Amino acid sequence: MDKKLRFREDGTFRVIMMSDLQESGKYDPRSLRSVEALLDEGKPDLVILGGDNCDGHEIKNEKDLKDFLDVFTKPLIERKIPWAHVYGNHDHDARVDISRQQEIYESYPFCVSGHTDDTVHGKSNFMLPIYNEKDEIALAIWGIDTNHEVSELDFLIGGNAKEKIALPNKPVGYGPWGMLYFDQLLWYYNTSCELEKKVGKKVPGLLCMHIAPYEYRTAQANPEICVKEGSYDEGLDSTPFNSGLFSLLVQRGDIKAICAGHTHMNDFDAEYCGIRLLWDACVGYSCYGVDERRGGRLFVYHKENPTKVETKMIHTFDKLKRTN
């Protein structure tokens, strides 16, 4: 395959993000059919696996992880669709070190996932450039790793981080999962600046991550102003600390859309301070959720104006019913 991701001849580039498969080699057949239906309708040029890809509690060793990936990358490989991934909290539950998981993921055909080195937290941080017909970078698809949970900070704050953040009076909707580190923000900032210098202008982008930034809660709390469409009735379990990511994105001005997963009943499309805040529910059927909302989110970019994006949820439940 051409290692460069490119806009189509019709000037579009199509991305599907699908999160929360939460499967293993022993899987619900509906989850596989859900993935296949999503790909067949969305016809993506790139797929992002948005975290909680495997059911980590069922992954006891490398063979278990490969058994899972053999099943759920097959539809991508058969259709010759490039794909990348970020990790979620349940991927960390697997008894396979995350660095080794990354090596295994990247060994599969059509995987274009990149990763940062050990100087940056998280293994699934990447930037994928998308080229136009002039071989110019016209769009960037970003992934950032939300790591595992706040217990990673135990040694810094004297232990029991989960208990210390769980104060009796706290804003609704945050959980103990999801840690973004300053070195990750610095990686994004430096990479974004280097890309701007290389291209001669800021490159519009989409950011994919598993656990939503803090500011999603503001959009959810003000649906009459911020939410365009979709369901937003489940607590977001967003990151417990304001990492500064959203403020940085506003100041850089290149990434105008973020998509998150993690909670399975939200599938909304919102906007706050000029940035689209999107959710993609869950694509898997073994995990909890609302069947009518299961699926993934399609993004369609146009090379003439890649600062704007068309996006919609592709729900798979009705499609699965028709195949029964």
Side-chain angles (χ1 to χ4, degrees), residues 299-317:
F299 298 85
V300 181
Y301 284 92
H302 298 267
K303 67 179 181 181
E304 292 83 5
N305 187 10
T307 59
K308 294 186 177 181
V309 61
E310 299 170 5
T311 182
K312 68 175 184 178
M313 278 295 300
I314 297 177
H315 296 114
T316 59
F317 184 63

Side-chain angles (χ1 to χ4, degrees), residues 228-247:
K228 300 173 181 291
E229 62 180 6
S231 300
Y232 50 88
D233 50 3
E234 183 182 8
L236 301 185
D237 268 356
S238 69
T239 54
F241 300 126
N242 184 347
S243 67
L245 173 66
F246 188 84
S247 175

Side-chain angles (χ1 to χ4, degrees), residues 137 189-203 252 254:
I137 299 174
Y189 178 81
N190 288 337
T191 305
S192 173
C193 290
E194 290 166 6
L195 188 60
E196 179 182 9
K197 183 177 181 181
K198 178 179 180 179
V199 175
K201 60 183 179 180
K202 290 182 179 179
V203 177
R252 273 300 294 156
D254 52 356

Side-chain angles (χ1 to χ4, degrees), residues 55 60 64 80 97 99 103 105 115 119 126 142-143 170 183-184 212 222 242 244 283 304:
D55 178 356
K60 312 297 185 185
D64 288 345
K80 299 182 179 180
D97 181 80
S99 296
E103 292 175 353
Y105 270 80
H115 64 276
T119 65
F126 60 79
W142 297 79
K170 64 179 183 179
D183 53 44
Q184 293 177 277
N222 297 275
N242 184 347
V283 70
E304 292 83 5

Side-chain angles (χ1 to χ4, degrees), residues 36 50 63 91 100 157 203 244 250 264 285 301 315:
E36 292 170 337
K63 181 183 181 302
D91 298 298
R100 179 58 183 147
I157 61 176
V203 177
V250 170
H264 305 172
Y285 277 74
Y301 284 92
H315 296 114

Side-chain angles (χ1 to χ4, degrees), residues 141-169:
I141 309 298
W142 297 79
I144 198 161
D145 194 326
T146 51
N147 297 288
H148 195 197
E149 58 183 27
V150 293
S151 59
E152 295 178 12
L153 297 182
D154 279 355
F155 73 102
L156 291 174
I157 61 176
N160 299 319
K162 281 187 179 181
E163 294 181 12
K164 288 179 177 178
I165 69 163
L167 299 177
N169 298 313

Side-chain angles (χ1 to χ4, degrees), residues 241-302:
F241 300 126
N242 184 347
S243 67
L245 173 66
F246 188 84
S247 175
L248 178 55
L249 297 181
V250 170
Q251 293 173 61
R252 273 300 294 156
D254 52 356
I255 291 174
K256 294 296 186 181
I258 309 170
C259 192
H262 186 49
T263 57
H264 305 172
M265 295 162 61
N266 297 311
D267 63 357
F268 61 81
D269 175 353
E271 185 171 337
Y272 178 52
C273 293
I275 295 180
R276 297 282 284 278
L277 302 177
L278 301 139
W279 214 279
D280 67 349
C282 61
V283 70
Y285 277 74
S286 289
C287 55
Y288 82 90
V290 177
D291 283 351
E292 289 77 9
R293 299 179 195 173
R294 297 183 196 270
R297 181 167 288 279
L298 172 68
F299 298 85
V300 181
Y301 284 92
H302 298 267

Side-chain angles (χ1 to χ4, degrees), residues 87-105:
Y87 294 118
N89 49 293
H90 285 301
D91 298 298
H92 286 270
D93 292 331
R95 295 181 187 175
V96 180
D97 181 80
I98 208 72
S99 296
R100 179 58 183 147
Q101 286 192 46
Q102 187 71 21
E103 292 175 353
I104 293 171
Y105 270 80

